[in-house]
Amino acid sequence: MISDTIAAISTPMGEGAIAIVRISGVDAVGIADKLFVSPGGKRLSEMSSHTIHYGHLIDPLTMIVLDETMVTILRAPNTFTREDTIEINCHGGFVAVNKILQLVLRSGARLAEPGEFTKRAFLNGRIDLSQAEAVMDLIRAKTDRAMQVAIGQLDGKLSHLIQELRQKILEVLAHVEVNIDYPEYDDVEEMSHHLLVANGNEILVEINRLLQTAQQGKILREGITTAIIGRPNVGKSSLLNSLLQENKAIVTDIPGTTRDIIEEYVNVNGIPLKLVDTAGIRETSDVVEQIGVERSFGAIDRADLILLVLDTAEPLHYDDIDLLKKVISKNVIILLNKADLSHELNVAELERYSNGHAVIETSILRNTGLEELQKEIERLYFLGNIQDHDLTYVSNARHIALLHQAKESIEDALQAADNGVPIDIIQIDMTKAWESLGEIIGENMHDSLIDQLFSQFCLGK
C-alpha cells in the first residue's frame, strides 16, 4: 500500500486564468482542510465526494490569504489514482500557484515525481501499463487521428486484445499441464497438440494483424520527419509556409536566404509531418551557406520522407540530378513548382532519374497541387486510406518489440509441434509468448523499467 501523499502543479507554468494544484494520497483531504476556509466555515472532510467548493486558501502560520479558490474533493476509490484526491483551482501565474504548492508541501505532502499520479493509477489497478502510456500519447498527440489512437488505447482496446491472446495461451498451457500430470492418457496428449496448433495459429494471425498496423500507428504517434530539399529559390520556404498556413520562413528572390534548418509540425489529413525546411543545395563559396548546405544533407539522411522541389520554369540542373541520385532509395515526392510559369523543364529527362517516384505539378504562389501532395502522402504510408479510429493501432515501440518477441515464440512452438517435439518442451515457448504479451500491459515487469517509463511523463500527470 502507498502510504505517502503527493502534490504537484498539473497545469503548464506561466500566466493563465486558472492553475491547478493536485494532491493525492491518504492525507490529501486532511492537508487541504488545514489550508481551505469556506464562507460557511464547513470543513472539506465534511463535504461529499465529487463536489467543488468556493473559499480561500490561508497560510495557517501567518493567517494570510493566499488566493481565492475553488477546491474539488474526490474520494477513493472513484478517482484517477484510486486515492483521495484534492484539486485546488487557483489563479494562474508563477507566484500564486508556486506559493500554494509550497504551502501544500509544508503541510505534509511530498512533491510528486514526473508521471507519479499516473504511476499510482497503474500500481493501484486503475489502468494497466499500455493505458498509462496512452495518457502521454494523448497529451502529445499532434493531430486528431493521433488523438483517436491514444483514446482507443486509453479505453483499453489494445489491453482487451492482449488479455484475450494471453487467455488462449493459458488454455493451451493448462492442457499441457494435464498431459504432464496424466501421461498414461494418450488422447490427452493428442488433444494438447491439436489445441496448441489451432490456438497457436489463431494467435499468430492476430499478432500479425496488430503488427501490420505498427508502421501506421507509429507514424500517427511520432509523425513523419519530412525534409524539403532543392536548389536555392525553387520555393522550399514558400512550400513550408503554405503547409503551415503562416509565414514561418523568410521568402525572398535572393538565392541562399535560408541558411539554417527550420523545423515545424503540420497536420496533413490527420498525419503529423515534422517539416524540415533546408538551405538551398548548391556549390557556394559562402562559408555560412556551406554550413547550411551540410546541415541540409544531414536532414536528408535523417528524413523519412523527402519533398524534392524543382523549378518548372528552368531546365533540369546538374544539382537537381545530383539530388535525385542521392535520394533515389528513399520515399520521395517530386514537386514541380512554379507550374503557373512557362514550362522549361524537360519531363522526359526527369523521368530518367525519378525511378518511378511520384511527380506532382504545383504552384505554391497560386496554392495548387497541395491536395495532390496530401493524397500521395496518404498513399505512401496508408495505402491511400487512413483507417477509422475503431481500428486498434499499435504505435508504441516497446509494444511492437514485445509483439515481435511473442510472435517468434509462437512460431518456434508451432515448428516444434510439426517436428514432434514433446509437449512439455513446446510449453516453454508458449510460456515465453505469454510473458512477452504480459509485459505490454505491465505483467512480469521489473520495478526499474516501470520507474523508467513513468519518468518520461510530465510533472503533475
Side-chain angles (χ1 to χ4, degrees), residues 132-365:
E133 290 169 297
V135 172
M136 277 312 298
D137 290 348
L138 184 58
I139 292 171
R140 293 172 177 167
K142 297 176 178 64
T143 69
D144 53 347
R145 294 187 186 275
M147 183 184 74
Q148 289 293 344
V149 171
I151 288 174
Q153 188 167 315
L154 185 58
D155 284 344
K157 286 186 177 181
L158 178 62
S159 302
H160 294 152
L161 279 174
I162 297 300
Q163 291 285 18
E164 289 175 4
L165 294 177
R166 296 188 86 217
Q167 183 59 36
K168 286 184 179 180
I169 295 175
L170 207 57
E171 290 172 6
V172 174
L173 294 176
H175 276 278
V176 171
E177 288 297 329
V178 171
N179 179 53
I180 293 171
D181 291 341
Y182 301 99
E184 63 271 19
Y185 296 107
D186 294 336
D187 58 336
V188 173
E189 182 175 358
E190 184 179 343
M191 183 174 61
S192 296
H193 269 92
H194 175 75
L195 186 67
L196 185 148
V197 173
N199 279 11
N201 282 317
E202 286 181 14
I203 294 164
L204 203 55
V205 167
E206 191 60 34
I207 289 176
N208 283 329
R209 190 193 70 77
L210 285 171
L211 287 172
Q212 285 171 1
T213 71
Q215 182 186 14
Q216 296 178 354
K218 202 169 181 207
I219 287 170
L220 291 175
R221 183 176 187 258
E222 300 175 6
I224 304 171
T225 301
T226 306
I228 305 173
I229 68 169
R231 290 189 295 116
N233 215 29
V234 295
K236 301 184 300 298
S237 296
S238 296
L239 174 61
L240 175 74
N241 290 340
S242 182
L243 290 171
L244 290 175
Q245 298 183 348
E246 64 171 298
N247 292 324
K248 186 73 176 180
I250 298 172
V251 177
T252 73
D253 293 330
I254 304 170
T257 300
T258 303
R259 299 296 186 95
D260 205 350
I261 300 294
I262 298 175
E263 296 183 357
E264 283 290 335
Y265 272 97
V266 64
N267 180 350
V268 176
N269 284 0
I271 306 171
L273 297 189
K274 183 182 179 182
L275 290 177
V276 182
D277 182 24
T278 64
I281 297 174
R282 65 171 178 174
E283 293 289 337
T284 177
S285 58
D286 186 308
V287 176
V288 177
E289 192 176 353
Q290 283 178 352
I291 295 171
V293 171
E294 289 173 5
R295 292 184 177 181
S296 297
F297 283 124
I300 291 172
D301 292 336
R302 294 188 299 271
D304 304 311
L305 173 64
I306 303 292
L307 301 183
L308 173 56
V309 185
L310 304 178
D311 190 341
T312 311
E314 295 182 6
L316 197 65
H317 195 273
Y318 64 85
D319 283 339
D320 297 327
I321 296 172
D322 284 346
L323 280 174
L324 282 163
K325 290 178 179 177
K326 182 171 181 61
V327 302
I328 203 71
S329 61
K330 286 182 165 285
N331 283 334
V332 181
I333 300 175
I334 301 169
L335 302 178
L336 304 182
N337 192 30
K338 306 182 184 180
D340 53 308
L341 302 179
S342 60
H343 285 54
E344 301 295 331
L345 190 146
N346 188 324
V347 177
E349 182 185 5
L350 172 63
E351 287 177 352
R352 294 207 302 269
Y353 301 101
S354 64
N355 197 35
H357 291 302
V359 178
I360 299 172
E361 287 196 1
T362 66
S363 171
I364 308 302
L365 181 65

Side-chain angles (χ1 to χ4, degrees), residues 44 47-53 71-75 86-87:
L44 286 172
M47 309 291 191
S48 301
S49 180
H50 291 71
T51 54
I52 188 166
H53 306 277
V71 175
T72 304
I73 179 170
L74 307 163
R75 296 189 187 277
I86 292 288
E87 292 188 350

